[in-house]
């Protein structure tokens, strides 16, 4: 069937939270030693891993972790604990968490804007489907890319977390597109690939640093017969 709409994940797909966001934070361990590049990369990985649980929680923390993308307060509770258990002192953990919540602190992949524009100009509908507990619309608005997005299905607004089919169905219903006519693009086979249960096509991208993935989105959509000319 022809593809009439493309759904994109946010983190690791069209934008990435990069180590560069920490440069002004001057992160140290509890003894005041500046964290090295590898330690900062690990913090970033733990903050953005789509499904992996990277630390052990007590019962209250586990509940917050499992429901973090449904409620901003639980998101804050879970990720502050992740940061502190990774060795970031509390005051700095608060600073890092605020960086995470700033959509303008996220870096777009080099081809994001061009792919979104090309899809719109080709007459396709475009949606963002993200497990997230804060509003990411400003990341698109501030770059003038919001005009290419027809719908945002954000877990904390929809009340469902990928791979729950309800979040994909919400996006498709708002786009007015049948599942068999949609392509989901994301960096998690487990979470984003849940769209396949409804009958959507799926393209997996690698959440590499933005400088190392210049054409991942182009490659994903072209592999499904889109934007080939």
């Amino acid at each position: 069937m022809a593809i009439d709409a493309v759904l994109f994940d946010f983190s690791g797909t069209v934008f990435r939270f990069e180590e560069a966001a920490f440069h002004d934070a001057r992160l140290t361990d509890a003894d005041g030693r500046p964290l090295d590049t590898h330690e900062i990369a690990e913090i970033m990985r733990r903050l953005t891993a789509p499904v992996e649980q990277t630390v052990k929680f007590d019962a209250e923390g586990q509940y917050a972790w499992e429901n973090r993308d449904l409620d901003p307060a639980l998101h804050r509770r879970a990720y502050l604990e992740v940061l502190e258990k990774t060795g970031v002192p509390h005051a700095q953990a608060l600073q890092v968490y605020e960086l995470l919540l700033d959509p303008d602190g996220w870096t777009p992949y080099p081809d994001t804007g061009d792919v979104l524009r090309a899809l719109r100009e080709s007459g396709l509908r475009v949606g963002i489907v993200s497990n997230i507990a804060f509003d990411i619309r400003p990341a698109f608005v501030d770059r003038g890319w919001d005009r290419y997005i027809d719908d945002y299905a954000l877990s904390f607004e929809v009340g469902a977390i990928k791979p729950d089919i309800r979040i994909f169905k919400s996006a498709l219903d708002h786009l007015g597109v049948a599942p068999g006519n949609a392509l989901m693009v994301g960096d998690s086979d487990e979470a984003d690939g849940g769209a396949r249960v409804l009958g959507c096509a799926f393209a997996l991208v690698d959440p590499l640093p933005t400088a190392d993935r210049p054409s991942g989105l182009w490659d994903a959509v072209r592999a499904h017969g889109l934007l080939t000319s």
Side-chain angles (χ1 to χ4, degrees):
M1 297 178 69
I3 292 176
D4 297 323
V6 182
L7 308 177
F8 292 97
D9 171 51
F10 178 71
S11 174
T13 300
V14 291
F15 281 76
R16 189 174 188 271
F17 193 58
E18 305 254 48
E19 289 88 338
F22 296 123
H23 284 173
D24 293 336
R26 302 178 185 275
L27 298 182
T28 67
D29 64 14
D31 297 323
R33 177 186 61 82
L35 299 185
D36 62 31
T37 300
H38 298 294
E39 290 169 314
I40 291 175
E42 176 62 15
I43 292 170
M44 189 281 297
R45 186 188 70 81
R46 293 188 179 198
L47 288 174
T48 58
V51 293
E52 179 187 2
Q53 181 175 325
T54 57
V55 302
K56 186 175 181 179
F57 299 98
D58 61 17
E60 182 180 341
Q62 189 66 35
Y63 177 82
W65 174 257
E66 292 174 359
N67 294 278
R68 65 195 183 281
D69 290 322
L70 295 175
D71 182 283
L74 294 178
H75 188 273
R76 179 183 178 87
R77 161 76 166 79
Y79 279 109
L80 284 178
E81 185 166 349
V82 167
L83 286 164
E84 291 176 23
K85 286 191 172 181
T86 306
V88 180
H90 180 70
Q92 292 190 26
L94 291 171
Q95 183 181 5
V96 169
Y97 184 72
E98 291 304 317
L99 291 173
L100 180 70
L101 295 185
D102 179 7
D104 288 330
W106 290 65
T107 304
Y109 278 92
D111 54 351
T112 294
D114 290 338
V115 169
L116 294 177
R117 181 178 63 254
L119 289 171
R120 168 51 62 84
E121 291 176 350
S122 297
L124 279 79
R125 308 279 283 171
V126 177
I128 302 297
V129 184
S130 178
N131 286 348
I132 206 150
F134 56 94
D135 189 2
I136 55 175
R137 292 175 182 85
F140 299 88
V141 172
D142 293 347
R143 294 172 173 83
W145 297 345
D146 55 307
R147 63 184 183 273
Y148 307 136
I149 310 299
D150 297 291
D151 183 66
Y152 298 85
L154 310 183
S155 58
F156 81 107
E157 295 177 340
V158 174
I161 304 170
K162 294 178 293 184
D164 189 323
I165 62 172
R166 290 178 295 168
I167 191 168
F168 303 110
K169 190 173 186 303
S170 174
L172 294 169
D173 287 349
H174 281 95
L175 295 177
V177 174
N181 298 112
L183 168 66
M184 176 70 206
V185 181
D187 70 311
S188 171
D189 186 78
E190 178 179 347
D192 303 312
R196 291 175 294 203
V197 175
L198 284 175
C200 299
F202 175 61
L204 183 67
V205 294
D206 195 333
L208 294 168
T210 56
D212 298 334
R213 208 195 76 190
S215 62
L217 298 178
W218 283 115
D219 296 341
V221 297
R222 285 171 173 162
H224 285 79
L226 305 176
L227 308 181
T228 55
S229 59

